[in-house]
Amino acid sequence: MNILDPKGPVAFGNSTILIDSVVIMLAIVVPTIIAILTFAFWFRASNPRAKYRPEFTYSGKIELVVWSIPTLTIILLGGVTWIGAHRLDPAAPVEGTGSPVRIQVVSIDWKWLFIYPDQGIATVNSLTVPVGASLKFELTSASVMNAFFIPQLGSMIYTMNGMVTRLNLRADSEGELRGLSSHFSGDGFPDMMFPVHVVSPIAFSEWVTKTAASAQELNTDSYKKLMKQAPVNGTLSYRLADPLLFDAISTQRIPPQPGPHPTTDGAQSYIEANSGANAICSASSTGRPFRSISQFR
């Protein structure tokens, strides 16, 4: 999961911004360190050439250097970050070869559900994508807020109940990557990691055909069983019986989970004391009024 070893254009853009930002900031750090060492050496007690000037209060030239370098650095750093961040907008299309692959992602306590609506299949805790294809992710949460992140493919993005976020990626080389949840969401949070299999288009078609023949069927009933708060050992594969399942989850026609439950009296007291603030925050993030949010909490 090395973010400095990108396997796609978005991750490459992210790593470029990170490296450029560090280099630009070193324009302040390195000269400052050199100046400190030089100052200490020159004004040492044994140097008779160092002049002691107790009346010195101001130098326009020194002020110009002291303020111009940080100002130029901030302008340059801000420009690089602003331009790069807009180019890497998660919703911006990413060109690819072949047909785009649409993947609907649901974060559940504590597992990931990946639905391929066009292929009629679904998997749990395992993601398979064709190399070079444009990957169009639609993401939501069946419970509390979470964060979807494949470091070597690019941008982390949040999943929230009652709304859909969008992310476009592309994998440029075959192999196995790793994805994870980067937002704490309860006891099973450490288990919310998943392999990302990047395969050839032919291998992807064969995998779709094999998965579509699965004996397990994903519909509303099987999804509700999957919603139980427990991690899944290994991976699961389904034949998608309800192509509108993701819409039912994201629009809350299937009620969301209540979220992780506190296991101590101290945690319960803390949650009750902060329930008002949490509800207001949830309402502001989803655009729904407090009353409609609180009925699910």
Side-chain angles (χ1 to χ4, degrees):
M1 295 190 290
N2 184 3
I3 60 174
L4 297 179
D5 182 23
K7 300 298 182 181
V10 177
F12 180 78
N14 289 334
S15 63
T16 300
I17 292 177
L18 178 61
I19 294 172
D20 289 348
S21 299
V22 172
V23 172
I24 292 171
M25 287 185 287
L26 288 177
I28 292 180
V29 175
V30 173
T32 301
I33 294 175
I34 294 175
I36 291 172
L37 297 176
T38 303
F39 188 90
F41 176 78
W42 179 256
F43 288 98
R44 68 191 186 278
S46 61
N47 183 11
R49 293 180 295 171
K51 295 182 180 180
Y52 176 58
R53 301 173 60 186
E55 304 299 328
F56 175 83
T57 58
Y58 177 80
S59 171
K61 294 180 180 179
I62 294 178
E63 292 289 337
L64 179 63
V65 172
V66 168
W67 288 104
S68 63
I69 294 178
T71 301
L72 293 174
T73 302
I74 292 173
I75 293 174
L76 182 58
L77 181 62
V80 168
T81 305
W82 176 273
I83 296 172
H86 278 73
R87 288 178 177 175
L88 296 175
D89 179 3
V94 176
E95 297 298 327
T97 58
S99 300
V101 178
R102 190 160 58 103
I103 304 171
Q104 297 170 334
V105 182
V106 183
S107 60
I108 310 174
D109 296 336
W110 292 276
K111 57 193 79 76
W112 291 99
L113 171 63
F114 301 103
I115 300 174
Y116 299 75
D118 299 327
Q119 286 75 26
I121 59 175
T123 59
V124 174
N125 286 349
S126 179
L127 179 63
T128 302
V129 297
V131 64
S134 176
L135 307 176
K136 299 182 178 295
F137 291 93
E138 302 170 6
L139 306 100
T140 192
S141 172
S143 178
V144 296
M145 184 170 66
N146 220 303
F148 175 83
F149 190 27
I150 306 175
Q152 289 181 278
L153 289 188
S155 306
M156 178 191 75
I157 192 164
Y158 281 94
T159 65
M160 288 173 277
N161 183 253
M163 64 180 295
V164 175
T165 51
R166 303 184 186 280
L167 174 66
N168 291 281
L169 300 175
R170 189 183 77 215
D172 287 340
S173 59
E174 296 182 32
E176 183 168 310
L177 310 178
R178 297 291 292 176
L180 72 156
S181 166
S182 54
H183 186 92
F184 181 77
S185 58
D187 293 340
F189 160 76
D191 297 316
M192 292 187 70
M193 302 180 67
F194 56 91
V196 181
H197 307 285
V198 184
V199 299
S200 67
I202 295 177
F204 179 74
S205 297
E206 294 174 348
W207 172 79
V208 169
T209 302
K210 180 180 178 181
T211 305
S214 173
Q216 297 189 88
E217 189 176 79
L218 183 63
N219 51 33
T220 301
D221 293 334
S222 57
Y223 169 74
K224 289 181 178 180
K225 293 180 181 179
L226 194 62
M227 287 177 66
K228 294 180 180 179
Q229 292 180 353
V232 171
N233 295 323
T235 61
L236 300 174
S237 299
Y238 294 93
R239 175 168 42 88
L240 183 62
D242 184 2
L244 298 179
L245 178 63
F246 181 81
D247 293 333
I249 298 170
S250 61
T251 58
Q252 298 182 334
R253 290 201 301 274
I254 298 178
Q257 296 169 280
H261 298 290
T263 56
T264 65
D265 294 337
Q268 180 64 47
S269 300
Y270 177 83
I271 290 177
E272 290 175 353
N274 292 274
S275 59
N278 292 338
I280 293 173
C281 181
S282 299
S284 63
S285 64
T286 59
R288 296 171 62 87
F290 170 77
R291 181 171 299 176
S292 61
I293 292 293
S294 62
Q295 65 181 335
F296 298 119
R297 293 292 181 243

